[in-house]
Amino acid sequence: MGLFTGRLEAGPRALGHRSILASPLDPGVVDRLNATVKYREPFRPFAPVVLADKAADYFSLRQSSPFMSMAAPVTDLARQLVPSIVHTNGTARVQTVDAEQNPLLAEVLTEFAAITGVPVLINTSLNIKGKPICGTPEMALECLTESGIDALLLDGRWVTR
């Protein structure tokens, strides 16, 4: 699912306003993202986003990580439940989220956790390899139609393939 909400984020990471979110519980998710959107090497993991109050269950963090700017060791629970976000060295470049920081993304994570028991999603930038992060609704729609993304939340409206 793609997210195009609010203002464009500055910097090298998608932090929930221009993101592709995917279930890390699906064993084929990395292959699918690589085959239809990112075209990356299969050994490169995707970064996780996690509810801040559940982060310690999955990551050895000493502080919050709202900007996905640090790699942290993963816990045994993360290795077991969400191996698609674990790098070969046992770390993940994690983003922590709470309702104050990003209400929509926190709500999505909360609902995903209610359904699956896991408050972690893959979060990668809303773009196809070689193209910039989607800065306009037109770019987001183009990304949807030219990639393997199933659906796009475009400023509060669902668009599907």
Side-chain angles (χ1 to χ4, degrees):
M1 150 176 107
L3 281 182
F4 184 97
T5 62
R7 296 173 8 163
L8 181 63
E9 296 140 334
R13 308 282 181 249
L15 302 174
H17 292 250
R18 302 294 187 276
S19 291
I20 297 170
L21 301 176
S23 171
L25 303 174
D26 177 353
V29 71
V30 170
D31 291 339
R32 182 171 176 220
L33 284 169
N34 281 329
T36 64
V37 185
K38 294 298 182 170
Y39 308 103
R40 294 173 12 177
E41 300 87 351
F43 65 86
R44 290 180 57 195
F46 285 91
V49 58
V50 63
L51 286 170
D53 63 344
K54 303 294 184 192
D57 295 339
Y58 296 86
F59 308 99
S60 297
L61 286 168
R62 296 178 190 207
Q63 62 192 50
S64 64
S65 180
F67 304 111
M68 201 186 289
S69 57
M70 65 182 79
V74 299
T75 65
D76 289 338
L77 183 63
R79 286 181 207 279
Q80 177 187 1
L81 294 180
V82 289
S84 60
I85 57 90
V86 180
H87 194 274
T88 56
N89 68 359
T91 65
R93 195 183 68 234
V94 64
Q95 176 191 7
T96 57
V97 172
D98 62 36
E100 184 178 331
Q101 172 196 352
N102 188 325
L104 175 62
L105 188 52
E107 183 178 351
V108 169
L109 286 162
T110 299
E111 290 300 316
F112 186 75
I115 294 166
T116 66
V118 177
V120 179
L121 286 167
I122 288 173
N123 179 11
T124 190
S125 57
L126 182 62
N127 69 307
I128 298 171
K129 181 180 180 177
K131 294 190 176 185
I133 292 177
C134 297
T136 66
E138 294 78 17
M139 291 172 74
L141 289 169
E142 183 178 307
C143 185
L144 173 68
T145 60
E146 293 183 5
S147 74
I149 300 170
D150 296 322
L152 173 68
L153 182 61
L154 180 62
D155 286 330
R157 296 179 188 209
W158 281 108
V159 181
T160 58
R161 299 177 130 270

